[in-house]
Amino acid sequence: MAPKVLVSVLVPLLACSAGAFRLSAGASPSAAIAAVAPAGAVSLSRPSVPGKSGVFYFVLTDRFANGRTDNDTGGYLGGRDDHGFDPTAISHYHGGDLAGLTQRLDYLKGLGVTAIWLTPPFRNKPVQSGTAAYHGYWILDFLAVDPHLGTEEEFRGFVAAAHARGIRVFMDVILNHTADVIVPEGGDIRYRDRAGWPYRDAQGQPFDETRFIDNGLGKPPSFPELSADRSFAHRPTLPAGEEHAKNPAWLNDVRYYHNRGNTDFTGEKSLHGDFVGLDDLFTEHPVVVRGMIDTYRHWIERHGVDGFRIDTAKHTNIELWQAFGPAMREAAGRLGKPGFFSFGEVATSDTDATLLSEFSTLGTLDASLDFPLAIAVRDFVGRAGPAAGLASVFHEDDRYTDHDSTARALPTFLGNHDQGRFAWFLRQLDPAVDDARLLSLSKLGHALLFLVRGQPVVYYGDEQGMIGRYGHDMQARESMFASQAPDFRTAPLLGTTRTGADDKFDPEHPLYRHLAQLARLRAEHPALAEGAMIVRPTNDDAVFAFSRIEREAKVEYVIAVGNQREGEKTVVVPTSQREGAILRRVYQLGGFSKAEAAAVETRAGADGTLRVQVPPLGVVVWQAERPLSRPVVPPTVRLVRPLGAAELAFGAREIDGQRLTERQEVRAEVRGGDGVAEVTFVARRSSRPDTWEYVGTDDAPPYRVFWRPPADWTAGETITFAATVDSLRGDRAVTELPPVRVARPLAVTGIAGASVPRFMERPPAEIRNAVGAEVVLRVRAEGVPEPTYQWYRNGVALADQQGPTLSLRLTPSDAGARLVAVARNLAGAAVSAETVLKIDPEPVR
């Protein structure tokens, strides 16, 4: 028999409940607080993007601007295959440096850039296998600036100069590997697997390294002692003269590498193999984990960087990120940088978000680069693919939702230094495309990039029409300054008569002006950067439409993007507007053949739909004249998944060597309302009947989250899910499912050693006092690691209330306000019951 679903109940915002009490001005409530069982009804906004949503500019420092020529060879003696400098070869250093990057900051500021992500600035092995380390990924000294790029003082000056312009600085960092120094005895680089060649301790006994992985929680495990002679599939050796080539010194110990041979990026080889010979670190080992944390903490503390892009994040065990991400946030927080942001490269060739989302939900990084969106935009723009294909990427956004993560934080991009430039992809999809059409397609793709959810990343040179006509990798890494390399000198550019032989810093270039306009649009209309994104179906698959709505302003923006090559498209777009509502055009890309079609104002029809005309390869953005009014019919909610199950089962999935516990979908169906709402999901386990755990908030249909048991789950427990819908305009409703048993997962689940916070002290259900009175609320939670706290007022995080104690002086606007405390750690979050503020008519005297 299917479990009974409780009927959705409307919850008045000023609901009274047991436990109300009166405070005199300045009184402390702690003595009066009783353990009030929390209700399932609670509304919380989605977690904000650390440091706010930005516009990134990804730059290869060596290929951007040459500010000093005296450092071109890095001070190394010999020829090009000793120092690596040869501006005529695309495989070698071209001379770009930190001085040049600093000199061009105003160029980037004019483009609308708010964050610079630069390739690794660390000292590299200058040359390996006949090519140079101009890209920065062959590191020898993780604590020093590469002399080809400049000095430590110049790096610090660059960071300071960027900060002075309101631009954050992100370093590309590597924890997976170092430069290629280690040589397997006998020269055999073929991969040897763990089944045939297990790791062995110093006495020669085989062991399973997964039993000793350090994830940063508690005391590091007692990892078996290792021996260079006995422990590895290949016996590692160091060439004469390179025994101390790396810094910090522990990196010279061959025992801290996997030593299995080269990877082909499949199965376990994806985690344990050498990346084209690069020495693959033993990232399961506590010495490596703690060593890398100390290394990169140095760059935060000494240079004040604002975040990291993490190279090859996919190719390490996920427990490394459970240790690294929190340690970096803690180091930055101590220095007054609460917005520190780390995102990983989890490269994929498909649009499946399952693996990528694991690195922010289970791996505890802030986000991953959005490879699925890049692939989908290429298809929609380059192939004129159906809008449904693009929409399917956003359908998977809920996989990124948990107690502290959201798809809104994803850095999004169109092309990069590995895969190739966006214009090159477009040309591969249509080899006959002419330059004028290619320029229009590039503009369309970048408009999409700036208008959908996420943080757009501009690949350096795209704003100057670079194509990278010969492809990916080296061929996509042209010099912004006048190139001497034949392949780059003759490379044509879009939108200009300049070529690769010219300087390419033209602020009048049509793509530069296009991107600058899009950046201004995001800055002037915050909903386009930070608002909820609601995909809107249309009656034409050539048009992708969506709304962006910021939860505080509640003003709807309707965006329509057409990929048709010729002729206008007229489509009907559903909205959340009332009949007759006025919307004004605030942005348009592309031109209409009829002047009357380019209307600057339109009205919603009887059913709230908008009749929109979209030019070929065009975009139109409409802004509603007024904020959304309260829905005529309040929304109701019911949980439809999981439903009717005797128990929740959790299978396992192995992806590129990572064995992960699958997550179960928890979905709510919202009826009524006007399509704009937030649904907050919470869960309660039978062993903690007094605590609701926060699962996540979804602000666009389908309303859902994906859940799996945390590591501190007790066998035999049941789980109760509840969901609250909030129209954000005074209407709420809550639903709850009966408890369901949870089967034992087939793989390790959650973060080992961590436990979800549990409130031991809670605030009351209601406080009544007069205007001017001081209210003090206290909570206390237990969990591993130690929880942090965030207070919310009417679902919005209070920026200055981040401890276990909240203090505020009542104002008339506090009448009916709902206060909630959330205790968070790596494992999850607990949410207190709402405390409703009531105001007496007489002010405090």
Side-chain angles (χ1 to χ4, degrees), residues 705-761:
V705 291
F706 290 84
W707 181 86
R708 67 175 146 231
D712 62 339
W713 190 263
T714 302
E717 283 193 270
T718 60
I719 187 79
T720 300
F721 292 105
T724 301
V725 64
D726 188 342
S727 73
L728 306 179
R729 286 153 287 164
D731 306 300
R732 291 202 299 165
V734 63
T735 185
E736 183 178 309
L737 279 179
V740 59
R741 193 168 70 86
V742 175
R744 184 180 182 87
L746 297 180
V748 174
T749 184
I751 300 172
S755 60
V756 179
R758 179 177 184 178
F759 278 111
M760 312 307 292
E761 182 178 355

Side-chain angles (χ1 to χ4, degrees), residues 517-818:
Q517 182 185 16
L518 288 167
R520 285 194 301 273
L521 187 69
R522 282 172 61 96
E524 292 167 3
H525 302 276
L528 300 177
E530 301 169 15
M533 179 176 166
I534 304 172
V535 175
R536 304 291 195 183
T538 75
N539 57 335
D540 193 314
D541 221 11
V543 178
F544 176 66
F546 56 100
S547 294
R548 299 297 305 269
I549 303 171
E550 197 275 319
R551 75 184 313 276
E552 293 302 303
K554 302 177 186 66
V555 173
E556 182 174 11
Y557 292 77
V558 179
I559 299 98
V561 183
N563 68 8
Q564 78 276 11
R565 273 44 179 171
E566 306 293 339
E568 294 89 12
K569 289 284 188 178
T570 300
V571 294
V572 177
V573 181
T575 76
S576 296
Q577 300 298 310
R578 301 266 182 95
E579 180 181 2
I582 297 173
L583 293 91
R584 292 189 171 88
R585 180 164 51 82
V586 295
Y587 176 79
Q588 177 181 316
L589 172 66
F592 291 97
S593 59
K594 298 179 181 179
E596 62 266 29
V600 297
E601 184 177 293
T602 188
R603 290 178 180 269
D607 53 359
T609 59
L610 210 62
R611 187 176 176 84
V612 175
Q613 286 185 300
V614 188
L617 300 181
V619 179
V620 183
V621 179
W622 297 93
Q623 178 188 5
E625 183 182 50
R626 303 179 189 280
L628 293 169
S629 55
R630 194 164 181 170
V632 175
V633 179
T636 60
V637 63
R638 70 186 186 101
L639 283 164
V640 295
R641 290 187 185 177
L643 188 62
E647 66 177 17
L648 288 182
F650 294 86
R653 183 179 180 186
E654 187 161 324
I655 311 176
D656 293 327
Q658 307 275 7
R659 184 170 170 79
L660 304 166
T661 297
E662 294 179 334
R663 291 178 281 170
Q664 279 277 358
E665 181 185 21
V666 181
R667 182 186 292 204
E669 180 184 84
V670 174
R671 294 183 177 179
D674 56 10
V676 175
E678 290 179 344
V679 176
T680 301
F681 295 86
V682 294
R684 182 179 61 202
R685 30 180 149 167
S686 55
S687 64
R688 297 181 172 189
D690 58 348
T691 297
W692 285 98
E693 296 176 9
Y694 175 51
V695 182
T697 299
D698 194 3
D699 56 12
Y703 295 103
R704 58 183 185 163
V705 291
F706 290 84
W707 181 86
R708 67 175 146 231
D712 62 339
W713 190 263
T714 302
E717 283 193 270
T718 60
I719 187 79
T720 300
F721 292 105
T724 301
V725 64
D726 188 342
S727 73
L728 306 179
R729 286 153 287 164
D731 306 300
R732 291 202 299 165
V734 63
T735 185
E736 183 178 309
L737 279 179
V740 59
R741 193 168 70 86
V742 175
R744 184 180 182 87
L746 297 180
V748 174
T749 184
I751 300 172
S755 60
V756 179
R758 179 177 184 178
F759 278 111
M760 312 307 292
E761 182 178 355
R762 304 172 182 81
E766 180 183 302
I767 287 180
R768 179 184 294 276
N769 217 318
V771 171
E774 183 184 11
V775 169
V776 179
L777 299 180
R778 293 192 180 94
V779 292
R780 181 174 63 86
E782 295 180 351
V784 178
E786 186 71 23
T788 60
Y789 299 90
Q790 176 65 65
W791 289 86
Y792 291 76
R793 182 184 186 276
N794 294 337
V796 180
L798 296 169
D800 58 346
Q801 302 288 349
Q802 295 177 321
T805 301
L806 175 144
S807 177
L808 58 85
R809 195 167 296 278
L810 295 180
T811 68
S813 65
D814 288 319
R818 296 169 282 113

Side-chain angles (χ1 to χ4, degrees), residues 466 478-493 496-504:
M466 285 185 177
E478 304 97 314
S479 298
M480 288 283 285
F481 48 95
S483 180
Q484 298 179 46
D487 282 359
F488 294 165
R489 284 182 63 81
T490 59
L493 306 175
T496 180
T497 57
R498 300 187 188 199
T499 69
D502 299 308
D503 179 282
K504 295 169 281 293

